[in-house]
Structure formats: structure tokens, C-alpha cells
Amino acid sequence: MGVRGGVDLAALSARIREIEARRPFASADRPIDEAAQECLATGWEEVDATLGGGLAARGLHEWFGVRALCDATDVDGPGRMLPNRWTPPLFLMTHLARRALGHAAARSWALWIGKPCHPYPRVLVCGSDRQLLERSLFVAAQDAAARLWAVELALRSPAVGVVVADGSRFDRGATQRIQFLAWAQGKLVLTVCPPGQESALSAAQSRWRVCAAGPTGASRFRGVVPRWRVELLRCKGMRPTQGGRDWLLEWNRAEGVVRVSAGLVDPAGAAQESILANGGGLPRGRTG
Amino acid sequence: MVAHCCGRAGVAGVRRGMTVAQARALCAGLTVHEQPAAPEEDEASLRRLARWMLRFSPIVSLDRPDGLLLDIAGCEALFGGEREHVRRISAVLQRWGFRPRLAVAPTFSAARAVARFGESAVAHVSALDLVATLGRLPVHALWIDERTAAAMADVGIERIEHLLALPRGDLAARFGAPLLRRLDQAVGAVRESIRPIREAVRFEASREFDGPVKCAAAIALATRELLNRLFGQLRARHLGILELGMQVRRVDLDPQELLMRLTCPSGDPGHLWKLLEPRLERVHLGYGVTGVVLRAVRTGRIRPAQGAFLREAMPHVEQSADFGELVDHLVDRLGAGAVTRVRAAEAYLPEQAYTHAAAGEFAAAGAADVPVHAACRPSQLLGVPERAGVLSLVPDGPPVRVDWRGCAAEVVASIGPERILPPWWSEPVAASRDYYEAEDAAGRRLWIYRDGATGGWFVHGQWV
């Protein structure tokens, strides 16, 4: 492979073949990177199976938020996107933060850095489990520099188990610093980013796109069920797979947790699923 | 108003708090000294006197408003016996212009009663004649409230011996249990404790330079050395700093004061230095610094840390220190209001159901264990509810179409209403709200409500 004078494609393909040959085909959906074996199970079985056990427990994971719709008329077809308005996937962050806190050392703290990623506190309580509510510290850092500083400070503190931060306007340098520090300190960092930032370069361990899944034909009978289509855009060290890398998640009202959708939807309604993902004009290209 | 009165006036019925005219009517020829009453100054003077009396006894307590209690057990040998001890105390107080009334008794209550209501200025009561001495005193001497004393006076109980002659069960039934407790404390049947004053210990370290110093590095070095010295003093008492004051004395300018507040008591000079250093760099040195003073304004007890053996058995001690340091750094840069914790509040309105409190204050107050409402709530609550255009088929019916933020869509499913009423005692009384969870064709899950007063619809949150 060349350094200055271009890329030697033959050497590169040989290198890829060599990496792919390390594992048998049966474990094709497992991560290649041996060092990333310490995983945090998301609790979403299909996702964990694809990731080889779950999210890397040490590293930065970027989650691109849900873009807001704008349409002056009926939304029979795909909606028009507002360029700047978006909402972070707070339910998913709460779910992952709760699992990360359970995975971290006892009496660790969860830090929520940046006001947009502060959830309504009620969702931090799951049944009689108030641990996340009582062990959460909310930091309202305004600009990207202050947020980056707060994330680094939190990662260096032994008291912190998981960091959830607003990753708006974090450039590649910032993500690289967070990734290295999270790796060194053995911490999990989740950042929520605006959808427009998908095309920016990033050193994150994994990148995810979250879209609001539209109602199904059964919605009238099942009641209000928040659902999201989650797509894995990139995961470091993972072998390219033929299967899908997107899943439908929904909030289980009875348990108060996010689960993979049971898929009990009628085919007619399924056509309307994920109107944001399919027709919203979002950039589909993978970055990184 | 009468602030103090002498014994003669007291016998005539003059009491503290009554007007001067009432007092003159009760006691002819009363001499009135007019002076503005200053209870705070009186209390401060009494406290100063109590601290001075620590040379006669290590345990001194205030007997407000004008008395002191000394536990002199074991001290008499140092002063040549009990009588000589009391004589010295009396002599000192008289030399200062006081007219002290002293009593030595086996119990605090008895000593207080004899000193205030006994006949002689100095009295020694032994354990043998304790009951007899107390019996001659009026029931007021037991430090009971006026109402109980008046009730006893109505039935002819004037002295303590009358009380002692009555059955205890009847006394408790008629005048209440506190009377019996006072009586038992006076005769020594029940243990009585006092709250002794403690000598204030000032933790301070200072350094005076030989001349004005303008070198910032030298000042920093001296400050670090002072920090280490200060923490050495605190470490000996298992204390940590909660509030640190620093004074930088300058040649041509007024001394500059720096104050730092910490979340948890810290015993780590390195942590304090990290917080102090940037502030010290911003200090204007003028023509030079002549001295630096560091003072522990507020301290807190530090839980002892485990050494090497079984260190992992007590992780919470280190965790709390680490967390305190993290919060201190965040607050130092972002401000106290930007670093918060959440506690559940006893309120039904969604915007009041949880309160953000500064992390430092939260630690001091402790987390109240308020139950969390079981109702379903969205993950994002808007700071201010946003007006939405909502269509419903029947009045007060569920929404069938929502127009919010420029996006109009049919509601495909909804749950509600959940009526939330504001507290009736609040002013002005707000209107009720009928909340609906609504899922529209655009894929939005909104928490919307109809205002009970105006009938207008608002979006208050969403499930994202």
C-alpha cells in the first residue's frame, strides 16, 4: 500500500482477504477486531448477535437523531424534512445508559452532557429501579468546546461509568480524542448527533442512524407504541455482512424498556414503516 | 417591655415580656433602667463568658438567657477542693461587676433550680439533702411552662415538695409527662445531658514574604506549601475542606480574597491546587505581594479510607471523593447552575414533578425518597408547551388530527384523557389539563393536552 503516491489496490485486497480468512464463515457476523471483545449487551438480541455480543464497552458510539418532519398538508406520503430541527433518540440513550450503569462498577455515575440530551427524568425510572435517576448527573455545557472538555473530564474520573453527550459540531479531532480516552479508561461514551453530521468524518467505534418508524396498520388496535428504525452505519472491526443492518425497535410500555419489535405487523401496514428512513431523502452513504 | 427583672420584682409578679406600665402597677416604686434590648448581643456575651469559663471546667453549657452550667466533677482537686473552686469562680465574676448566684448540686436541674430560686448566693447541695432542698423551692424552679405552673397553682401545688407527695400516675395524667421528666431529672432518677460549647478551632496557614514578591512562580510555590501545611492540620483531626478562603496581601492594593466551595470534604491538596491555580493566575499582583493566608472557612469530616488490605471492600468512600472532585471541576468552569441532579417532587404537574438541584446542594440536603408516579411519560418534555392545531370529532373528544410545527397529520392511535389538576391552593389557580398520547401518520408520538380553561390544545412532550 502506498503512503503518498496512492493506494495499491492489489495489496489492499490481499490484506482484506487475509483478515477475512482469520475466521470461519460461520462467525462471519462477529467483529474481526480481537481487542473489542469486552461488550455491553444492548438487550436487543438481533443487534447483539450482529455485533458479536453487543456494543464495545470501551469506546465512542455515535447515534444520529431523528429529523423533524415538516409538511403543510396531509402526510400521506413521505414528509418533508426540516433542515435543522432534530430530536436526539432519548429513549434509546436511556436504555443503553441503564445497561451500561449495570455493567460498570458499583456506585458509578451516568453523566448527561449537553441540554438536548437530557431526558425527562421519569424515563430514568424503570419499575422500582431508580438507580439511573439517583446516579445521574446533568451537565448543561453550552458550546462544543465546553462539552468536549466535560466529556474528557468525566472519562478521567473513576466515579463515572457511562457518558451520554450531545455530539453536535464535534469534528474528527474531537471524536478521536474521545475514542482514545474512552478506550484507555474503559468507558462507554454515547453521543447524540444531528442527522446532518452523518457525512462528517469520525473516529467513533460505531455509528447509528435512528429514524422514527411510522405507524403500522395495527397501530389503531395496539395503541400508541413508540417505534424506531435503527440502522448500523458503521462498526469498527466488523466484517461486512450480507444481511440487514437495520432493526425495528419499540418501547415496551409494560416493562418500560426498549425491545426489538416483535414484527406482528400486517404486510399492508409494513409498507408504511419507516417513512422517514425510506422516503425522507436522508443521505444513505456510509461514512468513516 | 420588661427584658430583665430583679428577684424582688419577680416576687411582686413582674415577668419578662410585660409592659413597663403593667410592671409599675404590680410593683410600686419600681426603678426602671431603660435600655434597648439586644438579645443577640446578650447571647454573644454569654457565649464569650462561657468560653472564658472553660478554664474552670472542660464542659460548659449555656443556660439561656442568663446562666451557665459547668460540669465540675473531677476538677475540684485542681483548685483546692469544691468550695475553693466555687469561691474562685464567684470572686472572678464579682470582680467583673456581676452579682453571681452559684449552686453546686448532683444534677444540672437541681443546681439550676437552687441557683435561681434558692435563698443564698452560693449553695452546696449534697446528694443526701437534695430532695429536701428541692422540696422547699417553688414549682417554677423545675423549668416548666407557665400554663402548667398556673394549673398547679389553681389546685394549691406551689412547692416541689407538694409535687413529690402526690402519686406519679395522677401527676402525669393531669399535668403531662414532661412534668414528671423534669422532676426525675432534678432528683437524679433520669439522666440529663447538656450541650457543651466547643472551642472554635481555626485552621489557617500563612506566610509573610521578606519583601514584595512579583514572581508568580514564587507565590504559587508558597501557596502549595501552605496548602500542604493546612491539610496536615486537618488530617490530624480527620477533617477535609468544604470551603477554602485565600487572602493575597499586596503592597499598594487592598488584600484580594478568593473563596472556593467544594461539593464534598476534600483532603487532597492536589485537588485544591488544581482549582486554585487558575484563580491565582488571574490575581493582580500590583507592586508585589507581601503575604498569603489560607484559611479553612468550612470543614467536614472525612470518612477514613481503607489502606492496602481489603481496599476493594470500601469502594464507595473513594467513589464519593472522586465524584466530589469531578463536580468541583465542572462547577468551577461551568457554574453551579449548570451541574445538577434530579429529585422527584411531590407534584402532579409534569413540569413540577422533578426538580433540578445544584449538585453541591443536593449532596448537602440528601435525596428525598419521593415516590415516582407510575403514569407513562414522554422522554422529552418541552420547556414551554407549544400550541397545536388539533381537530376532534366531538367536543371534549380525543384528537383525530394534529397540526404542529408545520406538519399536519391524521392521528392513527391515541390514549387518554389523563386529567391532571394543578394544586387548588396555588395562586392563581391554573386550569385543568386533559392529556392524550397521540400517534400520528407522520410517525410522531406526541403528548398533547387540552387546556380546561381555554379549550386550546398544546403539545407538551414527545416520545423520541
Side-chain angles (χ1 to χ4, degrees), chain B residues 168-457:
Chain B
R168 289 173 59 85
D170 293 353
L171 275 180
R174 181 144 190 171
F175 302 111
L179 174 68
L180 279 186
R181 187 165 52 83
R182 292 283 186 199
L183 198 60
D184 289 342
Q185 284 176 344
V187 298
V190 170
R191 183 184 292 273
E192 184 181 12
S193 59
I194 59 171
R195 181 175 291 180
I197 60 157
R198 301 205 179 275
E199 198 173 5
V201 183
R202 179 174 288 187
F203 298 101
E204 194 176 283
S206 62
R207 171 170 278 263
E208 293 294 328
F209 298 119
D210 289 340
V213 175
K214 288 190 72 175
C215 174
I219 296 167
L221 195 68
T223 308
R224 292 202 72 165
E225 183 210 330
L226 291 179
L227 264 181
N228 287 329
R229 209 193 304 166
L230 189 64
F231 274 93
Q233 296 173 23
L234 292 165
R235 204 172 294 126
R237 293 174 182 252
H238 299 287
L239 293 175
I241 285 186
L242 272 171
E243 209 169 304
L244 178 76
M246 180 178 183
Q247 189 184 60
V248 183
R249 295 175 183 159
R250 299 171 290 190
V251 174
D252 56 328
L253 298 167
D254 290 336
Q256 179 153 357
E257 301 280 349
L258 304 174
L259 190 68
M260 279 188 312
R261 292 190 177 88
L262 305 186
T263 310
C264 303
S266 174
D268 179 12
H271 171 56
L272 260 293
W273 175 244
K274 278 184 198 164
L275 296 174
L276 193 60
E277 190 180 14
R279 296 186 187 203
L280 197 58
E281 286 171 357
R282 289 197 294 270
V283 171
H284 179 41
L285 301 180
Y287 283 110
V289 173
T290 56
V292 178
V293 182
L294 286 183
R295 187 178 302 120
V297 180
R298 209 155 53 92
T299 59
R301 187 158 290 279
I302 289 184
R303 297 182 68 174
Q306 180 69 22
F309 182 65
L310 287 180
R311 195 183 180 84
E312 64 279 4
M314 298 175 68
H316 53 280
V317 177
E318 288 182 11
Q319 284 270 341
S320 116
D322 293 332
F323 177 69
E325 290 182 8
L326 171 69
V327 172
D328 291 339
H329 283 294
L330 288 169
V331 168
D332 193 47
R333 173 157 171 173
L334 304 173
V339 185
T340 56
R341 288 177 64 189
V342 169
R343 67 159 63 101
E346 288 181 333
Y348 285 98
L349 289 179
E351 63 270 26
Q352 296 172 3
Y354 296 91
T355 53
H356 282 260
E361 294 167 18
F362 199 100
D369 195 16
V370 177
V372 174
H373 304 308
C376 176
R377 292 289 178 263
S379 59
Q380 185 188 47
L381 195 77
L382 304 180
V384 178
E386 295 181 12
R387 185 172 278 278
V390 173
L391 186 70
S392 51
L393 293 178
V394 292
D396 297 343
V400 294
R401 184 181 172 80
V402 178
D403 182 356
W404 178 57
R405 286 184 177 175
C407 176
E410 182 197 353
V411 174
V412 295
S414 67
I415 298 175
E418 177 192 354
R419 177 161 291 185
I420 297 182
L421 294 166
W424 56 265
W425 56 88
S426 66
E427 286 290 340
V429 178
S432 64
R433 303 174 186 174
D434 286 343
Y435 278 90
Y436 288 87
E437 297 172 32
E439 180 174 353
D440 68 9
R444 300 178 302 185
R445 280 84 183 181
L446 305 175
W447 202 39
I448 59 180
Y449 74 85
R450 181 175 46 227
D451 188 81
T454 63
W457 287 86

Side-chain angles (χ1 to χ4, degrees), chain A residues 121-132:
Chain A
R122 172 65 184 85
V123 298
L124 301 176
V125 181
C126 180
S128 60
D129 179 14
R130 297 174 63 146
Q131 189 198 18
L132 187 57

Side-chain angles (χ1 to χ4, degrees), chain A residues 136-182:
Chain A
S136 283
L137 186 70
F138 298 90
V139 181
Q142 295 290 341
D143 54 358
R147 277 184 273 119
L148 177 61
W149 170 83
V151 170
E152 290 188 340
L153 187 71
L155 286 174
R156 288 196 173 93
S157 172
V160 175
V162 58
V163 178
V164 183
D166 174 13
S168 307
R169 294 192 297 280
F170 277 3
D171 59 8
R172 182 180 167 80
T175 56
Q176 208 157 19
R177 285 168 65 170
I178 295 173
Q179 168 66 21
F180 283 155
L181 200 54

Side-chain angles (χ1 to χ4, degrees), chain B residues 104-129:
Chain B
V104 181
T107 65
F108 290 115
S109 287
R112 181 199 290 136
V114 174
R116 289 181 184 275
F117 294 90
E119 291 169 357
S120 58
V122 178
H124 293 266
V125 182
S126 67
L128 289 175
D129 53 359

Side-chain angles (χ1 to χ4, degrees), chain A residues 198-210:
Chain A
E198 277 181 31
S199 55
L201 292 174
S202 168
Q205 186 80 28
S206 70
R207 306 185 91 190
W208 302 76
R209 179 190 293 149
V210 182

Side-chain angles (χ1 to χ4, degrees), chain A:
Chain A
M1 283 175 278
V3 176
R4 289 169 184 268
V7 177
D8 184 349
L9 288 177
L12 186 59
S13 61
R15 173 75 176 140
I16 291 171
R17 272 197 301 277
E18 182 192 342
I19 292 171
E20 289 178 348
R22 282 184 195 166
R23 286 168 177 271
F25 184 74
S27 60
D29 54 351
R30 299 273 175 81
I32 297 165
D33 192 348
E34 288 288 348
Q37 286 307 304
E38 195 184 347
C39 291
L40 170 73
T42 60
W44 309 321
E45 294 81 2
E46 289 85 347
V47 179
D48 289 341
T50 304
L51 294 173
L55 289 176
R58 43 169 63 188
L60 166 66
H61 303 274
E62 284 182 341
W63 294 75
F64 295 102
V66 184
R67 201 187 288 262
L69 277 171
C70 172
D71 194 339
T73 58
D74 284 1
V75 182
D76 295 329
R80 188 160 56 84
M81 298 297 174
L82 278 175
N84 296 322
R85 188 168 279 171
W86 66 285
T87 46
L90 295 174
F91 258 118
L92 305 186
M93 292 303 102
T94 306
H95 175 89
L96 293 173
R98 182 176 292 117
R99 295 194 73 91
L101 216 53
H103 183 263
R107 303 180 66 85
S108 295
W109 288 83
L111 247 71
W112 305 80
I113 298 170
K115 208 133 194 177
C117 71
H118 292 182
Y120 183 57
R122 172 65 184 85
V123 298
L124 301 176
V125 181
C126 180
S128 60
D129 179 14
R130 297 174 63 146
Q131 189 198 18
L132 187 57
L133 177 73
E134 287 164 3
R135 310 293 293 178
S136 283
L137 186 70
F138 298 90
V139 181
Q142 295 290 341
D143 54 358
R147 277 184 273 119
L148 177 61
W149 170 83
V151 170
E152 290 188 340
L153 187 71
L155 286 174
R156 288 196 173 93
S157 172
V160 175
V162 58
V163 178
V164 183
D166 174 13
S168 307
R169 294 192 297 280
F170 277 3
D171 59 8
R172 182 180 167 80
T175 56
Q176 208 157 19
R177 285 168 65 170
I178 295 173
Q179 168 66 21
F180 283 155
L181 200 54
W183 177 266
Q185 300 289 336
K187 304 267 175 69
L188 180 78
V189 183
L190 305 166
T191 56
V192 289
C193 308
Q197 211 170 295
E198 277 181 31
S199 55
L201 292 174
S202 168
Q205 186 80 28
S206 70
R207 306 185 91 190
W208 302 76
R209 179 190 293 149
V210 182
C211 300
T216 67
S219 288
R220 291 179 195 280
F221 311 107
R222 297 179 64 193
V224 179
V225 181
R227 297 153 81 231
W228 305 271
R229 182 162 295 283
V230 174
E231 185 181 355
L232 176 60
L233 299 177
R234 190 194 70 188
C235 182
K236 275 185 185 173
M238 173 173 277
R239 173 190 293 274
T241 55
Q242 298 299 320
R245 287 172 129 195
D246 58 340
W247 300 270
L248 193 63
L249 305 179
E250 68 178 32
W251 183 56
N252 187 311
R253 182 182 292 269
E255 297 175 30
V257 296
V258 178
R259 297 253 184 248
V260 176
S261 181
L264 297 174
V265 291
D266 63 333
Q272 285 196 9
E273 285 180 5
S274 185
I275 53 175
L276 297 185
N278 297 328
L282 286 171
R284 303 281 294 176
R286 288 171 184 164
T287 62

